[in-house]
Amino acid sequence: MALATLPRSEEPGLSARMSSISAALSAVVADLDPGLLLGTDAVSLYGEFCRQERLITAGKALLAPRIDDTRCWEADGHRSAAGLLASLEGGSNGAARRTLEAGKRLVDLPGTEAALRQGSLSGAKLTEVTQAASLDPSSEDSLLEGIDSVPLPVIKERCQRIRATSAKKDPVATLSRIHDLRSFTWWSDAEGAFCYQGRDTAERGAALMARLVPVAKRLGRDRRAAATEAARDHPLGSPEPTPDPEVALRADALFLLVTRRRSKPPGASPGRSTGDPTNSASTGSTGSKGSKGTADPVPNDPTDVDDPTTLDDPTTLDDPTTLDDPTDPDDLDLGSAEDLVTAAPPATVIVRVDLSALRRGKALPGELCELDGQGPVPVKVAQSLLNDAFLALVFTEAGDIRSVAHRGRTINAHLRTALVFRDRCCVVPGCRVAYGLEIDHVASLESGGDTRLDNLALLCRHHHRLKTYEGWTLERIGPTDEDPRWCFTPLPPFGQEPDLGLDRPPDPPDPPEPPEPPEHVPRK
């Protein structure tokens, strides 16, 4: 009996086809001479290389899970599949791990896989979309809309919003985890430069940048004005000084805000060059003309600033006698409660939040709650910022702005004065911190609490965070403003929350029912 045999395909296998494509691509690169191309031709070829790169990314993402499942990486002595992939790519384990994880998520994301096979997804877009769509598969179509042409920052913004409102992710728990892992580290590199990096929550980053960016702009404007003034004394044809890049201005602004003094370029004179006759004379001793404010003096007019926060008096910025002694932390002047009376809001931060989400205390899918320039944040962050802020409400309808209303400061100067007079320091029993205080609404605004003295309290940042994010409760038990004693209690353990009935004594038994009267028997 003859056995039936399947006809062999005349088409070569995948490996042979891939080798042929690789050889053809190698020949193109070998013949590439960019100097012979027009600009438009170079752009066209660059686009084709990008498409090939996206297709290669697709192949890698589809193959990586199979390599992991078969554990073939063990035969080569690698510790993991990512290690094998990294050695093949000549890249890092982290990048290989991201490719592997994205490939595994494709199992539940057919639309993303189809777009990937068509060459529509770069590696960065693939990582963002698969991470967000795996948390909320119903959002896959909206994430893939216009994926070929939409820039990566827009895709990241979409994915951030999906992750922030996903039912699989607790935004408050994520915020707490980020806060617990906050860090600031520093080291010296091979050249001896001071290096640093850090990680913190979005709202604290927004507050930092809201202070740092305007100061960097102010420094840049001042230095350009000083350079223009100095150029008038230079002979014609002299080279113009190179302006400081934005990253350098930010570094100088950070140094100024932290140390309360201006940084000087290496080798600068320790004296202030602000047009002071003494400095001009000492400069002129070398035979040159006196300096005219070329050390970036700070303008005195506080209205000419992008931010209402003003800088220090320029006559004292570089005077070492006006600085605190850094050798003893206890001698540092960190402020007091009185600073809250006339202080401006801590920073100018724009919060975009749907009114329904603000009232509910949680953003549902499709609702918005984010810090402008920082991305989505839990609604609790927006609620905490309302404690002490200048309220400007923008009313929109179908995306169009209908009206704008400035409601003014949440807490006026009269209330601030009374509050500082009463509390003086953090009101939590046992805490005597009197600097860096924040104003708290005991009953929050969104829950109906009023902005009046008996509903306000001063808390240090630590206890304010416990109350806002960890469920602690602040309650006033003192009878008068002269004796405003407070009680600060943690969130009850699970199963013992109020209103469950477990913390109340059992109800008394119902009284017995009265006996029924005997039936009337008629006489015979």
Side-chain angles (χ1 to χ4, degrees), residues 274-305:
T274 60
D276 180 74
T278 305
N279 289 331
S280 297
S282 63
T283 306
S285 63
T286 61
S288 62
K289 293 184 179 180
S291 174
K292 294 185 179 179
T294 57
D296 311 329
V298 182
N300 290 322
D301 183 8
T303 62
D304 187 27
V305 195

Side-chain angles (χ1 to χ4, degrees), residues 52-71:
Q52 299 301 323
E53 184 179 28
R54 291 193 294 271
L55 290 173
I56 290 172
T57 297
K60 289 161 55 179
L62 293 170
L63 291 172
R66 180 58 178 170
I67 294 174
D68 185 43
D69 293 339
T70 58
R71 305 186 71 85

Side-chain angles (χ1 to χ4, degrees), residues 390-439:
F390 182 94
L391 296 183
L393 307 180
V394 180
F395 299 91
T396 64
E397 181 179 353
D400 296 328
I401 297 177
R402 297 304 184 189
S403 63
V404 177
H406 282 201
R407 300 293 299 276
R409 196 71 181 270
T410 308
I411 304 168
N412 59 40
H414 297 286
L415 271 179
R416 290 169 180 273
T417 301
L419 182 62
V420 170
F421 181 84
R422 186 194 68 187
D423 290 348
R424 311 296 300 173
C425 63
C426 179
V427 301
V428 172
C431 181
R432 304 297 300 172
V433 171
Y435 59 85
L437 298 176
E438 298 174 350
I439 301 176

Side-chain angles (χ1 to χ4, degrees), residues 120-260:
S120 301
L121 291 173
S122 63
K125 288 183 178 180
L126 174 65
T127 300
E128 291 289 334
V129 170
T130 54
Q131 285 179 348
S134 62
L135 295 175
D136 185 4
S138 64
S139 66
E140 184 181 18
D141 292 339
S142 62
L143 290 174
L144 293 174
E145 185 177 355
I147 195 70
D148 300 75
S149 56
V150 175
L152 178 61
V154 177
I155 298 298
K156 286 186 174 182
E157 183 178 354
R158 290 181 187 175
C159 295
Q160 280 183 329
R161 290 176 176 174
I162 295 299
R163 285 193 290 264
T165 58
S166 170
K168 294 184 179 180
K169 181 178 179 181
D170 182 359
V172 177
T174 301
L175 183 70
S176 297
R177 183 170 63 254
I178 295 173
H179 175 75
D180 292 341
L181 297 176
R182 65 194 184 281
S183 63
F184 181 88
T185 58
W186 67 92
W187 66 96
S188 296
D189 63 12
E191 292 183 314
F194 175 75
C195 307
Y196 51 91
Q197 68 177 12
R199 186 173 187 267
D200 213 326
T201 56
E203 77 273 15
R204 301 220 302 186
L208 174 63
M209 296 308 296
R211 294 290 301 276
L212 190 146
V213 171
V215 175
K217 291 182 178 179
R218 177 72 166 271
L219 291 175
R221 186 168 64 246
D222 294 346
R223 293 177 184 180
R224 287 192 298 270
T228 302
E229 182 70 19
R232 297 175 182 175
D233 297 331
H234 292 170
L236 294 177
S238 299
E240 296 184 358
T242 304
D244 290 324
E246 183 66 23
V247 290
L249 293 174
R250 293 192 203 123
D252 291 347
L254 178 63
F255 182 82
L256 174 62
L257 289 171
V258 173
T259 65
R260 315 284 293 181

